[in-house]
Amino acid sequence: MRKKRVGLQSNRIYLSERDIPKRWYNILHDMPKKPKPPLNPKTAEPISIDELAVIFAKGLIEQELSEKQWIDIPEEVLKVYLLWRPTPVVRARFLEEALETPARIYYKYEGVSPSGSHKPNTAVAQAYYNKIEGVEQLTTETGAGQWGSALAFACSYFGLKCKVFMVRASYEQKPYRKVLMQMWGADVVPSPSKETQVGRKILESTPDSPGSLGIAISEAIEVAISDDKTKYSLGSVLNHVLLHQTIIGLEAKKQLDKVEEYPTIVIGCVGGGSNFAGLAFPFLLDKFYEKRKSLRLIAVEPAACPTLTKGIYSYDYGDTSKLTPLLPMYTLGHDFIPPRIHAGGLRYHGMSPIISKLYADGFVEARAYTQNEIFDAAMKFFQTEGIVPAPESAHAIRAVIDEAIRARKEKKEEVILFNLSGHGFFDMSAYNDYILGVLEDVVLTDEDVNELTRKLSSYPKP
Amino acid sequence: MRKKRVGLQSNRIYLSERDIPKRWYNILHDMPKKPKPPLNPKTAEPISIDELAVIFAKGLIEQELSEKQWIDIPEEVLKVYLLWRPTPVVRARFLEEALETPARIYYKYEGVSPSGSHKPNTAVAQAYYNKIEGVEQLTTETGAGQWGSALAFACSYFGLKCKVFMVRASYEQKPYRKVLMQMWGADVVPSPSKETQVGRKILESTPDSPGSLGIAISEAIEVAISDDKTKYSLGSVLNHVLLHQTIIGLEAKKQLDKVEEYPTIVIGCVGGGSNFAGLAFPFLLDKFYEKRKSLRLIAVEPAACPTLTKGIYSYDYGDTSKLTPLLPMYTLGHDFIPPRIHAGGLRYHGMSPIISKLYADGFVEARAYTQNEIFDAAMKFFQTEGIVPAPESAHAIRAVIDEAIRARKEKKEEVILFNLSGHGFFDMSAYNDYILGVLEDVVLTDEDVNELTRKLSSYPKP
């Protein structure tokens, strides 16, 4: 008979491949009040399916507008998910010990995916729907490269060409994600480029332009519109993207069920909102129906780009060049170019319309942290749990640690679940800056925000 | 009732934390013929325990000389192992499909450890035994940084200081593993340094010396000898290091048992030999006793450093400066500085005495590949299985693919198990070189080896 050994506790909760969720959860079905529709950027009328179909695959537009509660995951998508899914839920016992907290802390680890974050959950689905509709190429933009590498991976599995417009500054300064995309066969173009009208125009006036996400989006959309075998792909913000990410929370629920746990607090970082939504929405479903009325959901953002905590709720464009539909969301204004913080994935002026509505209606809390605050937390996590977190995910960790310390002070039992949305192996220069003590804390002030959002006063109200 | 869905097969075999092996396997107990003992480098007499104790903790020396078959893993070590262990065994179905092979391919994935390779399996054990004997600091050398980061991690968990002499060329060219070590609190010193006599002497004559592993070892040992609260730590080659790594194979056996599989071929890359040994020895145990007489074990090395395939079997020094004991091993000569291939972990002139003896006695096969051969294989693995392999591990993958193709041609059912000993996220510049087509294929010729090993003819025979 095996003797029980003290101290050898289970940390990781796995889910067998057989038990992977077979459907995505669509929160639009259950929201007490739903967000208003996207508007045509020229007419300010609700945008039509045909207008969207120039850019996106029809299967994805259907999902964008659907209010069906559950949507089947195609078997071809599940097959690719199984390369890395289900991802583990891990009890962060070493972190708990270090914090001397009564809270039990769990993280869902999405960094085990091929490109190292949660992004492939939607990239694979988007590539699939485009493939079955006869699309031959997808275009997209990328900053530091997380989204671009996820889409490059997905395209390689479905035999699609992939063209990624990568912000030139990142293309030159962070070459390794570029290499990763190229290893999956993607065509990575520094933006602004000579391949588009938008790009050529900018290069004429500013030959050494470092580029921006706004410019890269415009280039990607221009290429998609000009060829009917090419579509555009977006990595966050939109309803169908958030839908695909719900596999995260659906798995996590099953995993916590196995150890008879249910969270009291769910935490994720937010840029466009997809990783937070992916983990939180399946739990929000319970909160809507009062089964878990006291459940708290916390969205964490950078103080340098405080969309929820300081932005205003308005219709606004998704990009600098006003090519996208007008979306009802919290925004810092479409002209805002966020400061160069290391959490590149959170440098977005807007926010998912669904999350914006949930926040406006009080279902979700939000808070913002500076760079040094989040790297302090990332180092604590690294030194206890042995994983280098992505700077984006470090925002969630900061909130987790603060809540765990509060639980200790209040002697309160909490069960905290958070999304460790990616690893930080491609962000070591950021950690080097932290060690050297040269990280800057940029905080957007109320005056800054007033200035940035002034013109939105004439835009439609959400 | 749940309907069975075709195509959703299990890829990953997990082992629960409860079932983690509680003992290491010591192959010395079962080897039909054992390797001869290490010799004092000055007297050429078998080295005494007291002589070894100047450098190593007593607990480790005991293990180095022990012939006990099973050695208990201390609970404090198991507790840290549980941060990432048991590691998964994965069925490489996507790779199998791409190769159209009847072979079933499994890999044990050690890249999930905090420092990204198998190295912490021994680093944690070594830090523990030093800690309980009152040692306060460990020193070591590192090339690209895999071993140094593993030891930095282990020391941080047991509250030991850690000083890593890092070959200066790597310190300057590959800063990210240095950052990783510093994040765990290690003191990383570019070698040659001004902190040791050896270092100062070299810097006097060659102020811009790029350093070498040989120099770094000498510096680390010099510091260890000069302070009785400081010991030295080695990441491969020695018996106790291989012992600690057997947890890999012991786990893998349990995991394959769960799916009723047993390998026909076990494959690993070899530098000093520890990751190959860790996976292979528990299976060799069966082969010794004829239960699995036909089992094949393949050690894979670089054509630029072909220790087993072209070296000679002789007593030789473990380092360039002749500070270590004389070891009975396959060697290319202690003066050999291997060419600058990307698989830094395999750039070692010698080989573990145990593996050398097993190879000499015909229990283990060996083969060598060039850089382009192994990166071809790494890319195939990456594009099918979605993991960037370390260049070291890519050597094993090349052999796996060749065996799988042979199985297809011969229409033979094989069950191949290999050690994916680490991830390649810190080796993206190597993949960039591959994509750009600038990787050099260096092959050591017989004439080179004759020249390098000539002086060994007067050394003791193993």
Side-chain angles (χ1 to χ4, degrees):
Chain A
M1 230 183 99
R2 171 175 294 133
K3 274 190 289 179
K4 194 173 179 295
R5 291 177 70 136
V6 181
L8 284 189
Q9 296 158 304
S10 249
N11 297 327
R12 282 181 296 281
I13 311 163
Y14 294 116
L15 196 66
S16 112
E17 280 112 326
R18 274 192 317 278
D19 296 328
I20 192 171
K22 311 294 188 300
R23 300 179 301 177
W24 291 301
Y25 168 59
N26 182 9
I27 199 170
L28 279 173
H29 177 273
D30 299 297
M31 287 174 75
K33 298 177 195 168
K34 301 181 203 325
K36 286 192 185 167
L39 305 180
N40 182 308
K42 285 166 193 156
T43 63
E45 293 295 314
I47 200 158
S48 72
I49 293 181
D50 285 351
E51 287 166 325
L52 287 169
V54 179
I55 304 180
F56 295 113
K58 290 222 173 74
L60 296 171
I61 300 169
E62 248 172 56
Q63 293 180 350
E64 185 68 20
L65 306 174
S66 170
E67 294 194 6
K68 220 178 124 185
Q69 189 176 25
W70 297 96
I71 294 179
D72 283 344
I73 305 175
E75 200 155 312
E76 293 82 350
V77 172
L78 279 175
K79 195 189 162 198
V80 183
Y81 276 178
L82 289 187
L83 249 187
W84 76 98
R85 305 207 72 86
T87 62
V89 163
V90 186
R91 172 88 182 265
R93 284 190 204 273
F94 287 81
L95 177 63
E96 290 173 17
E97 271 178 39
L99 298 174
E100 296 176 358
T101 177
R104 298 193 292 286
I105 302 174
Y106 295 89
Y107 62 91
K108 178 74 169 165
Y109 188 32
E110 290 292 304
V112 296
S113 83
S115 67
S117 80
H118 65 292
K119 292 287 184 192
N121 296 330
T122 185
V124 170
Q126 291 190 43
Y128 168 75
Y129 286 107
N130 276 285
K131 176 71 179 179
I132 59 171
E133 292 179 22
V135 172
E136 292 173 1
Q137 174 175 261
L138 287 178
T139 65
T140 198
E141 75 290 339
T142 201
Q146 270 287 11
W147 168 242
S149 54
L151 194 66
F153 153 70
C155 284
S156 86
Y157 270 81
F158 289 106
L160 291 170
K161 287 194 286 181
C162 181
K163 187 188 274 286
V164 182
F165 289 92
M166 186 173 190
V167 175
R168 185 182 294 274
S170 298
Y171 183 93
E172 284 162 2
Q173 287 162 20
K174 300 194 172 178
Y176 292 156
R177 281 212 171 266
K178 174 188 72 185
V179 174
L180 197 64
M181 291 184 255
Q182 291 171 331
M183 286 166 68
W184 274 308
D187 179 16
V188 187
V189 182
S191 166
S193 78
K194 288 186 177 164
E195 298 197 12
T196 65
Q197 288 187 341
V198 175
R200 284 189 294 270
K201 201 170 159 190
I202 291 164
L203 287 175
E204 266 171 37
S205 59
T206 323
D208 58 348
S209 164
S212 75
L213 270 177
I215 297 168
I217 293 176
S218 305
E219 290 203 279
I221 292 181
E222 185 183 320
V223 171
I225 291 173
S226 64
D227 171 4
D228 64 0
K229 292 289 185 196
T230 297
K231 301 278 180 192
Y232 169 72
S233 187
L234 192 68
S236 191
V237 179
L238 298 180
N239 301 356
H240 68 274
V241 179
L242 275 55
L243 173 80
H244 301 150
Q245 293 295 354
T246 58
I247 188 144
I248 301 172
L250 294 167
E251 283 181 6
K253 266 180 120 167
K254 286 189 174 196
Q255 285 162 303
L256 289 181
D257 264 358
K258 286 174 78 171
V259 293
E260 296 175 4
E261 285 274 35
Y262 195 95
T264 58
I265 309 176
V266 174
I267 297 175
C269 63
V270 285
S274 77
N275 95 72
F276 171 75
L279 182 65
F281 286 2
F283 292 96
L284 255 169
L285 169 60
D286 300 336
K287 188 178 167 78
F288 287 144
Y289 294 106
E290 311 226 351
K291 198 167 118 196
R292 300 285 181 180
K293 213 173 169 182
S294 64
L295 172 66
R296 296 173 57 204
L297 300 113
I298 307 176
V300 191
E301 57 188 13
C305 188
T307 316
L308 288 175
T309 50
K310 292 209 169 164
I312 64 163
Y313 194 29
S314 169
Y315 266 100
D316 194 7
Y317 299 98
D319 67 326
T320 320
S321 322
K322 306 187 189 180
L323 286 175
T324 72
L326 281 160
L327 297 172
M329 60 184 180
Y330 279 84
T331 175
L332 296 164
H334 56 266
D335 291 327
F336 177 49
I337 297 179
R340 292 214 147 272
I341 56 169
H342 283 290
L346 307 185
R347 294 176 67 240
Y348 187 63
H349 70 277
M351 181 57 61
S352 139
I354 294 180
I355 291 177
S356 294
K357 183 66 181 157
L358 290 166
Y359 179 64
D361 292 346
F363 289 103
V364 167
E365 305 169 34
R367 65 179 67 168
Y369 292 113
T370 65
Q371 286 209 95
N372 280 294
E373 286 170 337
I374 67 106
F375 275 97
D376 285 347
M379 284 294 286
K380 176 67 95 180
F381 186 81
F382 168 74
Q383 289 173 342
T384 52
E385 294 294 319
I387 293 177
V388 182
E392 291 83 357
S393 317
H395 288 73
I397 296 171
R398 175 77 263 172
V400 168
I401 290 177
D402 286 356
E403 290 298 317
I405 290 172
R406 184 191 51 74
R408 181 183 71 209
K409 289 180 182 158
E410 295 178 4
K411 295 192 170 49
K412 206 176 155 194
E413 194 187 4
E414 298 276 13
V415 180
I416 303 174
L417 171 67
F418 76 99
N419 199 350
L420 187 61
S421 56
H423 66 66
F425 289 131
F426 292 109
D427 302 281
M428 295 306 285
S429 66
Y431 284 92
N432 197 31
D433 286 354
Y434 174 80
I435 287 174
L436 297 174
V438 298
L439 273 185
E440 280 179 39
D441 278 344
V442 190
V443 178
L444 215 66
T445 65
D446 293 332
E447 291 71 44
D448 296 333
V449 176
N450 285 343
E451 180 65 30
L452 285 163
T453 57
R454 188 164 302 153
K455 74 167 79 153
L456 298 179
S457 60
S458 64
Y459 283 40
K461 293 284 158 286
Chain B
M1 229 182 99
R2 173 174 292 132
K3 276 191 291 178
K4 193 172 178 299
R5 291 178 68 135
V6 182
L8 286 190
Q9 297 159 303
S10 250
N11 297 327
R12 283 181 295 280
I13 311 164
Y14 294 117
L15 196 67
S16 114
E17 281 112 326
R18 276 192 317 280
D19 297 328
I20 193 171
K22 311 293 186 301
R23 302 179 301 176
W24 292 301
Y25 168 59
N26 182 9
I27 199 169
L28 280 173
H29 178 272
D30 299 297
M31 287 173 76
K33 299 176 194 168
K34 301 183 203 323
K36 287 193 183 166
L39 305 179
N40 183 306
K42 286 167 194 157
T43 63
E45 292 294 314
I47 199 158
S48 72
I49 292 181
D50 285 349
E51 287 167 324
L52 286 169
V54 179
I55 304 180
F56 296 113
K58 290 224 173 75
L60 297 170
I61 300 169
E62 248 173 55
Q63 293 180 349
E64 185 68 21
L65 307 173
S66 170
E67 294 193 5
K68 219 178 124 186
Q69 189 175 25
W70 298 95
I71 294 179
D72 283 342
I73 305 175
E75 201 156 312
E76 293 82 350
V77 172
L78 279 174
K79 195 189 162 199
V80 183
Y81 277 179
L82 289 187
L83 249 187
W84 76 97
R85 304 207 70 86
T87 61
V89 164
V90 186
R91 172 90 181 266
R93 284 190 205 272
F94 287 81
L95 178 62
E96 290 174 16
E97 271 178 37
L99 298 174
E100 297 176 357
T101 178
R104 297 193 292 285
I105 303 173
Y106 294 90
Y107 63 89
K108 178 74 168 163
Y109 188 32
E110 290 292 303
V112 296
S113 84
S115 67
S117 81
H118 64 293
K119 293 286 185 192
N121 296 330
T122 185
V124 170
Q126 292 190 44
Y128 168 76
Y129 286 107
N130 277 286
K131 177 71 181 180
I132 59 172
E133 292 179 23
V135 173
E136 292 172 2
Q137 174 176 262
L138 288 178
T139 64
T140 198
E141 75 290 339
T142 202
Q146 270 287 11
W147 167 240
S149 53
L151 193 67
F153 153 70
C155 286
S156 86
Y157 269 81
F158 289 106
L160 290 170
K161 287 195 285 182
C162 181
K163 188 188 276 285
V164 182
F165 290 91
M166 186 173 189
V167 175
R168 185 181 293 276
S170 298
Y171 183 93
E172 284 163 2
Q173 287 162 21
K174 300 192 171 180
Y176 291 156
R177 280 212 171 266
K178 174 188 72 185
V179 175
L180 198 64
M181 290 183 257
Q182 290 171 333
M183 285 166 67
W184 275 308
D187 179 16
V188 187
V189 182
S191 166
S193 77
K194 289 184 176 166
E195 299 197 13
T196 65
Q197 289 188 340
V198 174
R200 284 188 294 271
K201 200 169 159 191
I202 291 164
L203 286 174
E204 265 170 39
S205 59
T206 324
D208 58 349
S209 164
S212 74
L213 270 177
I215 297 168
I217 293 175
S218 305
E219 291 203 280
I221 292 180
E222 186 183 319
V223 171
I225 291 173
S226 64
D227 172 4
D228 64 1
K229 292 290 185 194
T230 297
K231 300 278 179 191
Y232 169 72
S233 188
L234 192 68
S236 191
V237 179
L238 298 180
N239 300 356
H240 68 275
V241 179
L242 275 55
L243 172 80
H244 301 150
Q245 293 294 354
T246 58
I247 188 145
I248 301 172
L250 294 167
E251 283 181 5
K253 265 180 123 167
K254 286 190 174 193
Q255 285 162 301
L256 289 181
D257 265 358
K258 286 174 78 171
V259 294
E260 296 175 4
E261 285 274 35
Y262 195 95
T264 57
I265 310 175
V266 174
I267 297 174
C269 64
V270 286
S274 76
N275 96 72
F276 171 76
L279 181 65
F281 286 2
F283 292 96
L284 256 169
L285 169 62
D286 299 335
K287 188 178 166 79
F288 287 144
Y289 294 106
E290 311 227 350
K291 196 167 118 196
R292 300 284 181 178
K293 211 174 170 180
S294 64
L295 172 66
R296 296 173 59 205
L297 300 113
I298 307 176
V300 190
E301 58 188 13
C305 188
T307 315
L308 289 174
T309 50
K310 291 207 170 163
I312 65 163
Y313 194 30
S314 169
Y315 267 100
D316 194 7
Y317 298 98
D319 67 328
T320 320
S321 321
K322 305 186 188 180
L323 286 175
T324 72
L326 282 159
L327 299 172
M329 60 182 180
Y330 280 85
T331 175
L332 296 165
H334 56 265
D335 291 327
F336 178 47
I337 296 179
R340 291 213 148 273
I341 55 170
H342 283 290
L346 307 185
R347 294 177 66 240
Y348 186 65
H349 70 277
M351 180 59 60
S352 139
I354 293 180
I355 292 177
S356 295
K357 183 67 182 158
L358 289 167
Y359 179 65
D361 291 346
F363 289 103
V364 166
E365 305 168 35
R367 65 179 67 168
Y369 292 111
T370 66
Q371 286 209 95
N372 280 294
E373 285 170 338
I374 67 106
F375 275 96
D376 285 346
M379 284 294 286
K380 175 68 97 181
F381 185 81
F382 167 75
Q383 290 173 342
T384 52
E385 294 296 319
I387 293 176
V388 182
E392 291 83 357
S393 317
H395 288 75
I397 297 171
R398 175 77 262 174
V400 168
I401 290 178
D402 286 357
E403 290 299 316
I405 291 171
R406 184 191 52 73
R408 180 183 72 208
K409 288 181 182 158
E410 296 177 2
K411 294 191 170 50
K412 208 176 155 193
E413 195 185 3
E414 297 277 13
V415 180
I416 304 173
L417 171 68
F418 77 98
N419 199 350
L420 187 62
S421 57
H423 66 64
F425 290 131
F426 292 109
D427 301 281
M428 296 305 285
S429 66
Y431 284 91
N432 197 30
D433 285 353
Y434 175 79
I435 288 174
L436 297 174
V438 299
L439 274 184
E440 279 179 40
D441 278 345
V442 189
V443 178
L444 214 68
T445 65
D446 293 332
E447 292 71 44
D448 296 332
V449 177
N450 285 342
E451 180 66 30
L452 285 163
T453 57
R454 189 164 301 153
K455 74 167 77 153
L456 298 180
S457 61
S458 64
Y459 284 40
K461 292 284 156 287

